[in-house]
Each structure stands twice: as structure tokens, then as C-alpha cells.
Amino acid sequence: MMEELKWVPSTVDVTRPSVARMYDYYLGGSHNFEADRAAAKQVEQIFPGVAQSAQANRSFLRRVVRHLMTQGVEQFLDLGSGIPTVGNVHEIAQHDNPNARVVYVDFEPVAVSHSNALLADNPNANAILADLRATSSVLAGARETLDFSRPVGVLVIAALHFVSDADSPYEAIAQYMADLPSGSYLAITHATWDTLSEAELAEAREVAKIYSNSDNKLTMRTHAEVTRFFDGMEMLEPGVVAVNDWRPDSFDETHVGIYGAVGRKP
Ligand SMILES: C[S@@+](CC[C@H](N)C(=O)[O-])C[C@H]1O[C@@H](n2cnc3c(N)ncnc32)[C@H](O)[C@@H]1O
């Protein structure tokens, strides 16, 4: 435990689970603590597919970044970016184009301190410790790295289900997109209960209780509610679908209760 604590910013309460560090655990990372692992294991007991879902979500992110690169997008704003793990956005983008620019945003101090350590020698990418709901200050910070006269790919991957309706998530996303030029893209993944059976729904409610003890409570959204984030945008085929059904590069029959979609600002 003492060894772990060396890399932890002093503001972090390691006794309280964080979704960033639970997600790191699901992906096989090492930046998580006892409380995170205990909560993550509780979720796994109720919902054994959680790690597979996290991996499917991460694969969607990789496919989207690659696709947007083929559409000429060279800049990315990754909101709720999480703790760096294998296949981070700058690694995918800069592999194809070393000049690609990336701004990571997360409000979890461990995620941001690790991102900045990883990016110390990378002049085209940085990480901001900020709440994605604070749109004006996030946009101001992002402008220091990104050129807002050229298209940007906004990535909000597995983060919006931690923003309740009371915190105006639709208005926040609309404000991000309003500041960006035509030809910018929005990619979202979002947990849903739409596809669950009655029995699975009962399990899911137990999972939600575990998250309610973390710093981030869950707000599930329906297909229509996820689609609403793309109001005024051109949806890319195949629209709002389970993440593993969005332009898969291999056959994957995992049942994933996470929607994924990409839209283009006309
Ligand atoms: C499940 S993780 C997803 C990480 C990454 N986007 C991915 O999909 O691989 C969710 C992340 O969103 C972050 N997050 C949740 N609410 C946020 C907010 N209001 N502002 C910034 N980050 C937030 C959490 O700290 C966490 O790192």
C-alpha cells in the first residue's frame, strides 16, 4: 500500500472508490487501490461481463479515432479520458500522424497526473484536470493545444453516464460542438439498460448501488436519450448501436450494454 501511495496526488481519498480507478482495474491496469478493487469486484460478482464491456468500449474508441483520421481529423478532445492504459488516443492518432494533437480532460487527479507524466515529452498532447461540465474553462484550456479553426474530434467515451440530467449534459455537449468548426465530429459511448432482461435489470440495479458509493453516480440513458446528444449533427452509419456493433473489425458476440455512436457537425 505504501508503495502505491507514492504516486498519488495528496488530494485523493484512496478509501473511496473512483470510477476512473475501477475502470483501470477492469482493463488490467495497476493504478487502483483497495477500495476501487473491492467495489470493482463487487460489480464483477453481479455482472461478470463488466471487464469485457470495458474492453469493447476501449476497442470502439480505437476504431473511431482511426476512422476519424481517415476523414482528415488531426485533433482530438477526449473528455473523461481516464487513467492512461494501452491504446490511448494520442498513441493511436500519432502513430498515423506524429503531428496529431490531443487534449485529455478528466476530473480524477490520478488520471491526470499519470497522463501528464506520460505526455511529458509530447509537445502535441496534454492533460487538463477539469470537470467536463465546466465547458467554458475546458474549452479555454483546450484552445492552448488545439486549433479551433480546424475540425476536432470530440470523444466522450463512457463518461456521460456519470453526468446527471440536473447537470445539463445536453447543453454541455452542444456548447462544445458550437465552438468547433464544420467537419468536427462527436463520438459518445454511454451505458444503457435498454437491452437488459428483467433478471439482468435487477442485477444492474445492484451495480448502480455500488457506484452510488463512489464519487460518480450512474445515470443510464435510453437509445432516444443517447441519440439526443447528436441533435443537429449528421449521424455516421450505423447510428446509435451497441459499441461492438459499430463498424466492428472482428466478429464479437459479447452482449454489451453500452451504446456507441459518431456524428459529424455539418
Ligand atoms: C469509465 S471511465 C472511461 C475512461 C475512458 N474515456 C475510456 O473510455 O477508456 C470514465 C471517466 O470519466 C471521468 N469523469 C466522469 N465524470 C467526469 C466529469 N464530470 N468531468 C471529467 N471527467 C469525468 C472519470 O473520472 C473516469 O476517468
Side-chain angles (χ1 to χ4, degrees):
M1 193 67 174
M2 289 313 288
E3 189 53 30
E4 289 177 327
L5 290 173
K6 279 187 197 157
W7 49 263
V8 180
S10 58
T11 48
V12 173
D13 177 0
V14 298
T15 64
R16 209 171 146 71
S18 106
V19 294
R21 301 191 305 263
M22 288 167 71
Y23 184 74
D24 176 66
Y25 170 83
Y26 298 138
L27 291 176
S30 53
H31 297 116
N32 46 73
F33 301 109
E34 204 70 42
D36 308 312
R37 291 189 287 273
K41 283 175 188 162
Q42 258 182 299
V43 173
E44 271 179 329
Q45 267 181 2
I46 302 166
F47 175 42
V50 64
Q52 265 181 313
S53 295
Q55 283 152 17
N57 176 65
R58 202 72 196 167
S59 298
F60 169 91
L61 171 65
R62 173 177 43 76
R63 296 196 301 280
V64 167
V65 172
R66 289 213 179 117
H67 177 72
L68 297 191
M69 298 286 291
T70 68
Q71 303 306 298
V73 176
E74 300 175 325
Q75 316 185 88
F76 296 91
L77 177 58
D78 187 351
L79 302 169
S81 47
I83 293 171
T85 176
V86 176
N88 299 297
V89 173
H90 74 283
E91 290 161 343
I92 305 164
Q94 292 177 352
H95 178 268
D96 292 348
N97 175 356
N99 296 319
R101 299 185 199 179
V102 180
V103 171
Y104 294 109
V105 177
D106 206 292
F107 67 178
E108 212 285 332
V110 170
V112 175
S113 71
H114 277 283
S115 301
N116 278 325
L118 194 71
L119 300 171
D121 298 323
N122 195 321
N124 290 328
N126 76 330
I128 302 174
L129 180 64
D131 191 317
L132 69 87
R133 294 167 292 187
T135 43
S136 302
S137 63
V138 170
L139 283 161
R143 276 177 194 277
E144 291 176 18
T145 303
L146 308 180
D147 173 1
F148 277 26
S149 69
R150 295 190 297 122
V152 173
V154 178
L155 311 166
V156 207
I157 307 300
L160 283 169
H161 45 244
F162 298 113
V163 181
S164 71
D165 286 342
D167 284 336
S168 310
Y170 294 102
E171 291 76 359
I173 295 302
Q175 196 181 336
Y176 284 113
M177 297 318 294
D179 266 35
L180 298 173
S182 161
S184 292
Y185 287 84
L186 171 66
I188 288 176
T189 70
H190 199 297
T192 187
W193 284 351
D194 277 1
T195 49
L196 301 187
S197 64
E198 276 306 313
E200 288 170 329
L201 204 53
E203 292 169 0
R205 291 205 176 94
E206 291 304 307
V207 169
K209 278 189 207 155
I210 298 169
Y211 278 96
S212 71
N213 292 327
S214 80
D215 285 340
N216 315 96
K217 299 185 186 5
L218 279 170
T219 299
M220 295 294 165
R221 292 194 172 89
T222 63
H223 190 274
E225 288 166 337
V226 173
T227 305
R228 197 182 139 199
F229 283 110
F230 296 91
D231 269 3
M233 303 189 70
E234 297 161 356
M235 293 306 289
L236 269 58
E237 289 298 328
V240 179
V241 293
V243 278
N244 47 339
D245 290 335
W246 197 91
R247 305 185 182 209
D249 47 21
S250 61
F251 180 68
D252 176 3
E253 61 182 7
T254 319
H255 169 71
V256 177
I258 306 175
Y259 283 132
V262 182
R264 180 182 180 278
K265 180 172 174 176

